[in-house]
Amino acid sequence: MGEPFSPYVIRAARFNALKDAETIRAQAQAEAAACLEEAHRQAEAIRCAASVAADAARQEAYAQGQQEIAENLQRYESSLADLSFLVARRLIDDLPRDEKLVRLVKTALADLPAQSGLVVRVAASQATAFRKAAQQAGSALATVSIVECSSLELEECVLQHEQGQTPLGVTAQLRALWQGAVS
């Protein structure tokens, strides 16, 4: 015969099995909670690392963009300067040759303190026309000696003064402007 059965009485073997099951369930819940907490920590670490990497990539892209903008701007500024000087050269070339040199000398004299013994050396082929244009310019060039120089090209002239000499030809002046603009 078997053991008597009663719905109100729990046998020891069954009671121990239920108690063991409760213990196993509690351990499984504790392990699951620990695994979940570890997963949250790892997810947070991954999110932080991804955020740092995204910030670094964003900063790198920004710096690269800034560098490309600066390079393009420099290239466009250089192109604009080239174009500006070509336009200036064309406009200057439209002026009469002698008038160009006289204007350059008058401008240079205005920048120099009053001095005696100033000499303007001009190309030999232009000396006569330059003297005539200088006389028409009036008193600004009256104290300046005009000397022919066979080593100078057409439209070149050099102003000799107490501090040294200054090339005043159109090409020299445009070159000086260009160097000032690109530096």
Side-chain angles (χ1 to χ4, degrees), residues 100-168:
K100 285 185 258 189
L101 291 180
V102 169
R103 284 185 182 189
L104 288 169
V105 171
K106 283 174 66 175
T107 303
L109 291 175
D111 291 342
L112 285 174
Q115 302 180 21
S116 61
L118 294 174
V119 176
V120 175
R121 293 185 306 142
V122 296
S125 61
Q126 259 183 304
T128 305
F130 183 80
R131 282 189 185 98
K132 182 178 176 185
Q135 288 172 351
Q136 292 174 353
S139 64
L141 299 175
T143 61
V144 176
S145 299
I146 300 169
V147 176
E148 296 178 13
C149 182
S150 60
S151 65
L152 291 175
E153 299 281 328
L154 196 61
E155 293 191 0
E156 287 184 352
C157 69
V158 175
L159 175 63
Q160 292 178 322
H161 45 81
E162 293 174 358
Q163 289 82 17
Q165 62 182 14
T166 305
L168 294 179

Side-chain angles (χ1 to χ4, degrees), residues 19-87:
K19 192 174 175 184
D20 288 344
E22 182 62 29
T23 303
I24 291 171
R25 186 179 64 78
Q27 286 176 345
Q29 284 178 337
E31 287 177 12
C35 286
L36 186 59
E37 181 65 31
E38 179 62 24
H40 283 296
R41 274 194 297 260
Q42 289 179 358
E44 183 63 23
I46 291 170
R47 188 193 64 74
C48 288
S51 176
V52 168
D55 286 343
R58 191 175 13 257
Q59 291 293 336
E60 183 179 335
Y62 179 78
Q64 183 179 3
Q66 289 295 96
Q67 181 181 359
E68 288 175 9
I69 288 170
E71 289 169 359
N72 287 337
L73 186 59
Q74 180 67 30
R75 188 171 52 247
Y76 295 136
E77 284 177 349
S78 179
S79 296
L80 185 59
D82 289 340
L83 180 61
S84 298
F85 281 100
L86 285 173
V87 169

